[in-house]
Amino acid sequence: MPASPRPRAARRPFHRVAQAVLGTLRSGEYFTRWSLILAFIVGTFLSVPSVGEPSLIGYAKGVLVAALGFLPLAIIGGFGAMAERRLTSGGARIVVIAITIVAIAALRPFVNDAISLGLFDTATGANWPSRITTNVITSFALLSICAIAVSYHRQLRATTARLRDAGGRMRAGIAHADRMLTGIPDLLHSTAVDLRTHRDLLLSGPLTYEAVRAFCERVRTASHRLDEHGRTDPPPTSEVTVQGTRPVPLLGRLAPTPPLVVCLTYVAAALPFGIAHGGMDVIVITLVVAVVLDLAAGVAVRATRRLAPRPRGVVFLSIWFVVGVGVVCHTYIQVPQVGTLGLVPLIGIPLVAVIISVSVDAYRRARSEELRATAQLRSSAVELAAAVEAARAPLQQAVDILHGRLQGRCVIFAARIDDGQLDDATIATFRVETDDILDYLLRSTSDADADGETVDDLLQAWSVVMRVQADTDDDARAALTDPHARRAAVGLVNEALVNAVKHSAARAASVRISQADDAIRVRVSSAGTLGTGVHGLGGQTARTTLRQVGDDVVLEGLVSVGDA
């Protein structure tokens, strides 16, 4: 019976790793200043040429030879980096990276041999194929890890910067709404005083149709002024700082490495040399020993999590140095004739562990920053929508009072004058009614009832960050009076707009809300590209989909109406 295919869940981690590596190779940022620093450290202290007898003096000579040999090889890497930057094709970039790595790996043994002969009159040994292959594997493995970490770190920092900028605009909007809410009583008081004064002037002078019409026009102007006051945009703002981030010492960044990554990286680098000098038996035994030591080191490192950052980092280095001692002992037992290269794990193992740990830590910290900024933006949008609703409710009520009731009384009063039915009772009634209306206007701040933020409130809040085009059909608008449906729709739209800023720095979005049988369909689209590995929005139900449609990222969801 043929073997069943591997489950998709089992293949997914390997697929993500392959995508990450391939994406980095195509990105145009594989070779960076960090890869230059890493190449120098690894080439000088880890992949050391064998010069003389296996001793500390011999290792020191190898380090000197490797350091001097790094200079001409770095020039080749510089040309490769320039070519990578200039090319636009992902495939061409991969070819340039491969040629650069292979060229440096192939030339390095001969460069080191020439320098060693010139300085110490000692050759670094033969075994050219195994040394070249070791260089290729080591360079590709460690440079790829570095490139992925740097690339992801930059992407996350760019995402965080976009989120911070949007969050800053939201914070400014909240402050503006709070200031507006605080100033509403004074604004309504001055409006009421002004209208009462001009009403008294109207009643103290000749009562003509034109005079009442002029007063009515003043009421209309005051109503429009209040309406415009509730729609003013906040002033521009600078980036807001996300709370909770603080500098961490380098030793404090040495967190546990992913299981087996250190040992597999070292074994992969040592594979050609091991096969050439000891055969597959040595490789298998070395792999078993490395796996055991890696797992033991992982357990020991994880047990130090409660220590302070610096002591934890010192313990981290000590644990991996002990692992390096174990690998050195194993190496000399299995391959006694290894020479100075047998001492490499003393520095090589801790060095690989530090490189991987710092890379992982950089990604985790950038990811943590991004999550904090995302949460802050999401909550700020909801807070701003609530603030907008709280500020607009009394203003809208005041507009309704002026536009509806007060203007209505003016129209009736003008009609009485025009029909020649004006008497003292009519004037007194007009005075009492307008006084009651203006007194009620002053109470509208406390009497206004905000029913909770709506989709319109949310879109008004997001207008400080991006241009949002909204289209809600009449049936859906009626259905959104249901509190559960309104809250769910607000949450869905908010999450979609956060996603738009987060993944594509979108400055415009389209929101379409329509009725779909017993549910409301929410569709939010914005220009951008859906990130690798982004398949949906956490916390949403199965009725929500996030997909790429042409040049747009589209979120669609169904919101039930009437559910508890």
Side-chain angles (χ1 to χ4, degrees):
M1 180 180 296
S4 59
R6 297 179 63 192
R8 180 178 298 180
R11 296 196 304 265
R12 191 172 297 163
F14 299 100
H15 178 66
R16 285 202 297 264
V17 170
Q19 279 189 321
V21 174
L22 192 59
T24 304
L25 290 170
R26 290 174 171 175
S27 68
E29 296 183 342
Y30 188 87
F31 294 124
T32 63
R33 68 175 184 274
W34 296 108
S35 60
L36 178 68
I37 295 171
L38 177 63
F40 175 77
I41 294 173
V42 172
T44 304
F45 299 103
L46 175 59
S47 184
V48 183
S50 181
V51 181
E53 296 298 323
S55 63
L56 290 177
I57 295 177
Y59 177 77
K61 291 180 179 179
V63 168
L64 177 60
V65 169
L68 294 175
F70 177 80
L71 298 176
L73 299 175
I75 295 175
I76 299 176
F79 283 115
M82 286 190 293
E84 181 198 10
R85 294 291 190 277
R86 291 177 179 274
L87 294 172
T88 58
S89 167
R93 286 171 173 169
I94 293 175
V95 172
V96 166
I97 291 169
I99 292 175
T100 303
I101 290 178
V102 171
I104 292 174
L107 291 174
R108 184 169 181 266
F110 300 101
V111 171
N112 289 340
D113 195 62
I115 294 175
S116 179
L117 285 171
L119 290 179
F120 307 111
D121 197 26
T122 303
T124 58
N127 304 316
W128 308 113
S130 64
R131 291 170 65 182
I132 292 172
T133 308
T134 300
N135 290 337
V136 171
I137 294 175
T138 304
S139 300
F140 179 75
L142 293 180
L143 290 180
S144 294
I145 292 173
C146 176
I148 291 172
V150 170
S151 176
Y152 275 26
H153 187 267
R154 286 178 176 174
Q155 291 174 17
L156 290 173
R157 281 298 176 89
T159 299
T160 302
R162 293 196 296 267
L163 293 170
R164 284 179 171 179
D165 178 71
R169 295 172 186 271
M170 290 288 184
R171 289 289 185 94
I174 294 170
H176 175 72
D178 289 342
R179 288 193 301 270
M180 186 169 64
L181 181 60
T182 303
I184 286 175
D186 291 338
L187 177 63
L188 295 183
H189 181 269
S190 63
T191 300
V193 168
D194 177 78
L195 293 177
R196 200 187 303 271
T197 299
H198 283 82
R199 189 277 318 270
D200 291 342
L201 290 174
L202 169 70
L203 297 181
S204 64
L207 290 174
T208 62
Y209 179 85
E210 287 74 16
V212 177
R213 182 178 179 182
F215 177 71
C216 188
E217 180 65 22
R218 191 173 193 89
V219 172
R220 188 183 70 84
T221 301
S223 173
H224 288 174
R225 186 169 61 250
L226 292 179
D227 186 55
E228 291 173 359
H229 184 76
R231 301 178 186 278
T232 55
D233 294 329
T237 181
S238 58
E239 176 184 308
V240 64
T241 301
V242 178
Q243 298 297 321
T245 60
R246 62 183 189 276
V248 178
L250 178 60
L251 286 175
R253 294 177 178 268
L254 300 179
T257 57
L260 305 182
V261 173
V262 175
C263 81
L264 291 179
T265 301
Y266 176 78
V267 171
L271 183 65
F273 183 86
I275 292 176
H277 289 78
M280 284 303 301
D281 292 342
V282 171
I283 293 299
V284 172
I285 296 173
T286 300
L287 179 61
V288 172
V289 171
V291 166
V292 172
L293 291 174
D294 189 295
L295 294 176
V299 172
V301 170
R302 284 173 174 80
T304 65
R305 283 180 171 175
R306 295 187 178 182
L307 295 177
R310 285 189 175 86
R312 186 173 65 242
V314 172
V315 174
F316 177 95
L317 293 175
S318 301
I319 290 171
W320 284 106
F321 180 78
V322 171
V323 172
V325 171
V327 174
V328 167
C329 295
H330 167 75
T331 301
Y332 280 113
I333 290 173
Q334 292 292 316
V335 190
Q337 72 277 14
V338 67
T340 309
L341 291 177
L343 300 175
V344 168
L346 284 176
I347 295 179
I349 294 292
L351 181 60
V352 172
V354 167
I355 291 170
I356 294 173
S357 178
V358 170
S359 299
V360 171
D361 179 78
Y363 171 79
R364 287 174 178 169
R365 289 185 183 279
R367 176 63 173 163
S368 178
E369 248 183 87
E370 180 207 28
L371 292 176
R372 279 195 296 269
T374 300
Q376 186 181 68
L377 176 58
R378 187 183 294 115
S379 63
S380 294
V382 174
E383 185 180 350
L384 178 55
V388 168
E389 168 67 11
R392 289 178 61 184
L395 288 174
Q396 186 59 52
Q397 183 165 312
V399 169
D400 293 340
I401 291 171
L402 295 180
H403 187 71
R405 295 175 60 183
L406 188 55
Q407 276 194 302
R409 296 300 184 276
C410 291
V411 170
I412 294 172
F413 190 59
R416 291 289 184 91
I417 294 175
D418 196 43
D419 292 341
Q421 300 178 2
L422 187 64
D423 54 26
D424 291 341
T426 302
I427 295 174
T429 299
F430 179 73
R431 184 186 295 275
V432 170
E433 288 180 343
T434 52
D435 275 337
D436 289 342
I437 291 172
L438 292 174
D439 289 341
Y440 185 68
L441 177 68
L442 296 176
R443 297 195 302 270
S444 63
T445 302
S446 57
D447 293 342
D449 181 21
D451 296 329
E453 63 270 16
T454 64
V455 172
D456 290 337
D457 296 328
L458 183 70
L459 298 181
Q460 175 70 18
W462 272 98
S463 66
V464 303
V465 175
M466 62 170 62
R467 186 176 68 259
V468 183
Q469 180 181 357
D471 180 17
T472 305
D473 64 31
D474 294 337
D475 291 338
R477 191 173 293 278
L480 286 174
T481 57
D482 174 68
H484 167 77
R486 183 176 66 245
R487 286 193 299 270
V490 166
L492 191 59
V493 172
N494 191 40
E495 191 72 21
L497 296 178
V498 169
N499 181 72
V501 171
K502 181 176 177 180
H503 292 293
S504 59
R507 289 300 184 187
S510 173
V511 178
R512 167 71 176 149
I513 303 177
S514 58
Q515 186 76 25
D517 297 329
D518 60 343
I520 298 172
R521 175 176 284 109
V522 178
R523 187 179 192 271
V524 183
S525 60
S526 60
T529 302
L530 195 60
T532 301
V534 179
H535 303 292
L537 297 175
Q540 298 295 342
T541 66
R543 305 178 77 184
T544 301
T545 60
L546 181 63
R547 55 198 174 90
Q548 187 79 40
V549 179
D551 295 331
D552 293 339
V553 176
V554 177
L555 180 140
E556 283 187 303
L558 291 176
V559 174
S560 299
V561 179
D563 291 350

